[in-house]
């Protein structure tokens, strides 16, 4: 990694880092964005790994997996019902809104928002071109008839059954050890292959295959811009890292991008 081509705010170069990020975005007709739980943190949605990756003392990987659901579906539903209940009161934050502005600025055909989040907040904010890699908390999927339904806003029991075939329902979430939805994944790979710049926001960049998109961006010579509160494995792949809360950094970045329009 050529160190002189990197800039980051932790090394005191915040102004320089913003300038570089703005220049990279200005020279990129096509932009892809990969978001993770950090982008929703300022909306009050808990991230997965900031609390040590534990839920009631259990590793998230041991709750969000098919084996846990087979062993004890009520335990898994309790975790997801807590997260579903939390969603009722949350709203998109300034970071989500800045990504809507960025899409409008570039045009939907030149912009793809790839998210690992299952909270639906990008759509609530108004983003149009969204690929949800890990499913959506609002939806259920029947383990019998496979029907997928939007049950957002409803309170579900800890053992909900399909209203059509009475088989157990599961959250329409991609669990550890499961395959990502093929269409969303193919489109995500294509978006990254065709972008000039990949913005990586609020993800610990440790869960694959999503994190592999950052390597794919590098492989096709797209510039990676990272926004996070701290260093992650993506930092060493990024041309520039902007350290801080995405609810503040993203709006600043998009405002600066607009500011030079007349120049
Ligand atoms: P993590 O919880 O692993 O990481 C959240 C990241 O956001 C960390 O790197 C934090 O430093 C950063 N962060 C926290 N607050 C922030 C803020 N206000 N602004 C910017 N960054 C902030 O979440 P993900 O990377 O999304 O999968 O986790 C990936 C996947 O692992 C999730 O989709 C989920 C999880 O287990 C499934 O459920 C299948």
């Amino acid at each position: 990694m050529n160190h002189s081509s990197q800039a980051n705010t932790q090394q005191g170069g915040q102004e320089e880092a913003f300038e570089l990020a703005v220049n990279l975005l200005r020279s990129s007709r096509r932009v892809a964005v990969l978001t993770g739980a950090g982008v929703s943190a300022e909306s009050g949605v808990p991230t997965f790994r900031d609390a040590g990756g534990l839920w009631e003392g259990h590793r998230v990987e041991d709750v969000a997996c098919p084996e846990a659901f087979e062993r004890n579906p009520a335990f898994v539903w309790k975790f997801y019902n807590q997260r579903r209940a939390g969603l009722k009161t949350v709203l998109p934050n300034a970071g989500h809104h800045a990504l809507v502005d960025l899409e409008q600025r570039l045009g939907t055909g030149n912009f793809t928002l790839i998210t690992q989040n299952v909270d639906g907040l990008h759509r609530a904010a108004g983003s149009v071109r969204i690929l949800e890699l890990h499913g959506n908390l609002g939806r259920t999927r029947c383990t019998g008839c496979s029907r997928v339904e939007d049950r957002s806003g409803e309170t579900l029991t800890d053992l909900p059954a399909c209203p059509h075939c009475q088989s157990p329902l599961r959250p329409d979430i991609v669990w550890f050890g499961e395959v990502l939805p093929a269409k969303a994944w193919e489109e995500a790979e294509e978006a990254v292959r065709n972008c000039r710049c990949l913005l990586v926001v609020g993800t610990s960049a440790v869960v694959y295959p999503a994190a592999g998109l950052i390597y794919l961006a590098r492989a096709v010579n797209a510039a990676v811009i990272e926004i996070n509160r701290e260093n992650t494995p993506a930092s060493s792949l990024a041309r520039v890292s902007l350290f801080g809360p995405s609810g503040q950094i993203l709006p600043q970045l998009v405002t600066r991008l607009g500011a030079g329009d007349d120049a």
Side-chain angles (χ1 to χ4, degrees):
M1 168 63 51
N2 174 2
H3 201 71
S4 64
S5 69
Q6 284 186 293
N8 72 53
T9 57
Q10 281 190 339
Q11 287 162 0
Q14 178 159 15
E15 194 52 41
E16 191 191 327
F18 265 113
E19 248 172 59
L20 178 52
V22 165
N23 287 338
L24 289 170
L25 282 169
R26 284 222 177 102
S27 57
S28 305
R29 196 163 73 88
R30 289 215 175 97
V31 172
V33 183
L34 174 66
T35 64
V39 84
S40 296
E42 287 150 89
S43 294
V45 180
T47 63
F48 294 94
R49 287 174 185 77
D50 287 340
L54 294 182
W55 172 70
E56 297 191 353
H58 302 278
R59 288 169 66 236
V60 65
E61 290 85 351
D62 295 335
V63 182
C65 65
E67 295 78 13
F69 189 72
E70 247 165 60
R71 226 175 13 245
N72 191 346
F75 164 75
V76 174
W77 264 113
K78 188 175 165 211
F79 170 70
Y80 284 104
N81 277 338
Q82 276 183 13
R83 292 190 82 95
R84 283 169 60 87
L87 282 193
K88 284 187 186 157
T89 50
V90 304
L91 293 170
N93 65 53
H96 297 102
H97 291 300
L99 291 174
V100 178
D101 291 346
L102 185 61
E103 178 170 22
Q104 285 170 356
R105 190 187 156 78
L106 290 161
T108 296
N110 294 320
F111 177 92
T112 305
L113 174 46
I114 305 159
T115 188
Q116 298 165 87
N117 296 346
V118 295
D119 55 30
L121 289 179
H122 286 305
R123 196 168 304 280
S127 288
V128 177
R129 173 84 179 131
I130 308 167
L131 299 174
E132 288 180 328
L133 293 184
H134 291 168
N136 189 292
L137 253 187
R139 294 193 305 255
T140 56
R141 184 166 10 121
C142 178
T143 57
C145 67
S146 302
R147 228 181 279 231
V148 172
E149 289 187 325
D150 184 2
R151 307 285 299 268
S152 46
E154 284 180 58
T155 303
L156 299 174
T157 67
D158 282 352
L159 274 178
C162 175
H164 311 282
C165 75
Q166 314 315 317
S167 301
L169 289 176
R170 57 167 283 177
D172 191 27
I173 299 280
V174 179
W175 284 330
F176 286 94
E178 293 186 322
V179 178
L180 267 49
K183 188 164 179 285
W185 177 248
E186 277 161 27
E187 290 181 16
E189 280 190 315
E190 194 189 333
V192 172
R193 244 186 248 114
N194 291 327
C195 79
R196 296 299 309 136
C197 181
L198 176 69
L199 210 52
V200 178
V201 190
T203 176
S204 55
V206 294
V207 174
Y208 285 79
L213 293 171
I214 306 164
Y215 291 87
L216 178 60
R218 286 299 305 266
V220 297
N221 279 324
V224 174
I225 301 174
E226 183 184 36
I227 297 174
N228 201 302
R229 294 191 90 119
E230 55 193 42
N231 262 301
T232 73
S235 310
S236 60
L237 301 167
R239 276 290 297 282
V240 53
S241 292
L242 295 164
F243 290 108
S246 52
Q248 291 174 27
I249 301 279
L250 275 170
Q252 281 185 51
L253 185 61
V254 176
T255 302
R256 284 168 185 246
L257 200 56
D261 274 351
D262 305 330

